[in-house]
Amino acid sequence: MTKFSDLERLAMRRALLIATRGLYSTGENPRVGACFIRDGEIVSEGFHQAPGFAHAEIEAIRTADSSKLQGSTCVVTLEPCSHVGKTGPCADALIEVGVRRVVVAMTDPNPIVAGQGIRKLQDAGIDVAIGLYAREAERLNPGFVSRMTRSLPFIWLKSAASLDGKIAMADGESQWITGPEARKDVQRLRGRCQAIVTGVDTVLADNPRLTVRYQEAGIEVPEGIHVTQPLRVILDTQGRLPETGALFDEEGPILWVTGRSIDHPQLRSGRVEQWVAPLAGERIDLHAVMSELANRSLNEVLVEAGPRLIGQCISDGLVDQGVLYLAPKLLGQAARSLYDVAPAQLADAPEIFIREIREVGEDLRLDWTLRTRA
């Protein structure tokens, strides 16, 4: 078993912490933190901020006293890259500055790296240790890992309901079931995702914007980084997308997913992009949609929709983590129910595993996953 010093453990915890500064800005790239240690202390640190910007190791090298890097140990949350992408190979940079040891939390699941960075370091005579806080490093990048290993994004499913499991009054009134703190939390959930998926029924009923309100939610991004709005994905089998609405009033890209080629004024103006998806019966094939989003290099996707689409995600097993906000209200028997699932008998009912329950203002947040994924 690989042994790690107390300082290496401390530095890795620090690297994991600073990597979260890129939670809302790294886009298709992984969130990575790095620290250099020497003579019993952390002498430099850095994190990846956004696509096209320096990787964590390079950022830490830039901010360091170069005289302290020779013979140091680099502690990094993800295997240093060995290929030339938008930036140069980090493994080469570590060799050049003369590190003696590299501690890596997890190997890179990207097939074009996948151990090659580690081998390059070892071939240069550098001691490499792997696996320190590997589980925590994977949790930092669930979408990147999922896209590289399953060719699917990490799929979040968000819903909000009263304590008796209702999402709206009988007449459709639903704003606001949850309180302001829960709504801010939803903004932070949106902010970490690269796409928000909903159905046309939700667009027609609620006239949503489906954007991230960064300032309102108190979301901080690295200084000088311009964050873009997530891709808004509208599933619309029959082409019922309205010609106007809040959706089009807000900046950001819109992907209109239909079951056949359909004309639309917003399509002709270039405001939206249309993608014709294959059908599964009379519905859009959700597996195909999620595969397409992965092909577009989207790591994390948030489904915010009505009971039919949410129910379809559950039935198709396309939920990596559900987030349910429960408000301390009782809407009654006539109100609209939460999930549209219809098991034939109790034994067929989808089972969930509750990962966490915590208070968000006056509401409860339940994080869950399907038992098949637990």
Side-chain angles (χ1 to χ4, degrees):
M1 180 179 292
T2 304
K3 291 185 178 180
F4 302 100
S5 70
D6 289 343
L7 181 57
E8 288 171 344
R9 293 179 182 277
L10 175 64
M12 185 64 80
R13 289 197 295 270
R14 177 63 184 170
L16 288 165
L17 177 63
I18 63 174
T20 63
R21 295 180 188 173
L23 184 65
Y24 304 105
S25 60
T26 54
E28 71 270 20
N29 290 353
R31 301 149 185 148
V32 184
C35 294
F36 283 88
I37 56 178
R38 182 180 166 182
D39 299 330
E41 64 177 352
I42 296 175
V43 298
S44 179
E45 63 184 33
F47 69 99
H48 181 51
Q49 300 183 36
F53 282 69
H55 288 186
E57 303 95 313
I58 305 300
E59 190 68 25
I61 290 172
R62 287 178 178 175
T63 59
D65 178 346
S66 59
S67 65
K68 293 188 176 182
L69 296 182
Q70 182 73 35
S72 67
T73 294
C74 177
V75 177
V76 61
T77 60
L78 184 70
E79 174 185 359
C81 63
S82 56
H83 66 289
V84 177
K86 294 180 180 179
T87 59
C90 293
D92 289 354
L94 294 176
I95 294 169
E96 185 176 342
V97 300
V99 300
R100 67 170 182 82
R101 177 172 162 90
V102 177
V103 178
V104 178
M106 62 176 288
T107 56
D108 193 331
N110 188 340
I112 65 175
V113 182
Q116 294 184 50
I118 290 170
R119 284 192 293 273
K120 179 175 281 193
L121 293 169
Q122 291 173 330
D123 289 346
I126 296 171
D127 179 34
V128 180
I130 309 164
L132 179 60
Y133 296 123
R135 183 175 297 180
E136 288 78 3
E138 289 183 15
R139 288 175 181 167
L140 186 63
N141 290 296
F144 183 75
V145 172
S146 177
R147 183 163 64 86
M148 292 299 161
T149 59
R150 300 190 297 148
S151 298
L152 288 171
F154 186 90
I155 303 168
W156 296 84
L157 192 154
K158 171 261 172 182
S159 47
S162 62
L163 199 59
D164 52 348
K166 306 296 183 178
I167 61 171
M169 300 301 292
D171 63 359
E173 180 188 359
S174 62
Q175 293 184 330
W176 295 98
I177 290 178
T178 56
E181 291 304 314
R183 297 198 293 274
K184 287 182 182 179
D185 198 59
V186 172
Q187 293 298 314
R188 291 188 285 270
L189 184 55
R190 286 182 180 181
R192 67 175 293 157
C193 295
Q194 291 77 56
I196 300 172
V197 178
T198 196
V200 72
D201 286 340
T202 296
V203 175
L204 292 169
D206 297 342
N207 190 28
R209 291 180 290 180
L210 297 177
T211 53
V212 182
R213 298 185 281 281
Y214 289 93
Q215 187 172 2
E216 176 185 319
I219 294 174
E220 295 185 2
V221 297
E223 186 177 354
I225 301 298
H226 174 70
V227 290
T228 57
Q229 289 290 342
L231 175 68
R232 290 168 291 170
V233 183
I234 313 301
L235 306 189
D236 183 12
T237 309
Q238 300 301 325
R240 296 183 292 137
L241 185 69
E243 295 184 6
T244 60
L247 192 70
F248 308 113
D249 296 336
E250 299 290 332
E251 294 183 359
I254 300 170
L255 181 64
W256 183 36
V257 180
T258 60
R260 55 187 172 85
S261 182
I262 305 168
D263 190 26
H264 193 282
Q266 297 287 356
L267 184 64
R268 294 194 298 271
S269 71
R271 183 68 185 89
V272 304
E273 175 192 354
Q274 185 180 38
W275 183 68
V276 179
L279 298 179
E282 297 182 354
R283 291 184 172 185
I284 288 171
D285 187 333
L286 286 185
H287 284 273
V289 172
M290 295 303 173
S291 293
E292 172 65 17
L293 297 181
N295 289 338
R296 292 172 180 243
S297 298
L298 305 182
N299 288 336
E300 297 185 42
V301 169
L302 175 63
V303 178
E304 282 193 73
R308 286 188 65 203
L309 180 52
I310 287 180
Q312 187 180 354
C313 289
I314 294 172
S315 298
D316 289 354
L318 289 171
V319 183
D320 290 302
Q321 186 156 334
V323 178
L324 170 61
Y325 297 93
L326 281 179
K329 297 181 176 72
L330 299 173
L331 301 191
Q333 186 175 0
R336 301 180 183 182
S337 296
L338 183 57
Y339 301 139
D340 187 359
V341 293
Q345 52 189 1
L346 185 60
D348 299 327
E351 293 188 14
I352 67 170
F353 174 79
I354 298 177
R355 294 186 178 277
E356 182 184 12
I357 302 175
R358 59 185 172 89
E359 293 181 1
V360 182
E362 294 183 352
D363 305 306
L364 290 179
R365 169 173 165 163
L366 281 73
D367 283 65
W368 59 273
T369 189
L370 297 172
R371 282 256 176 211
T372 52
R373 293 286 179 87

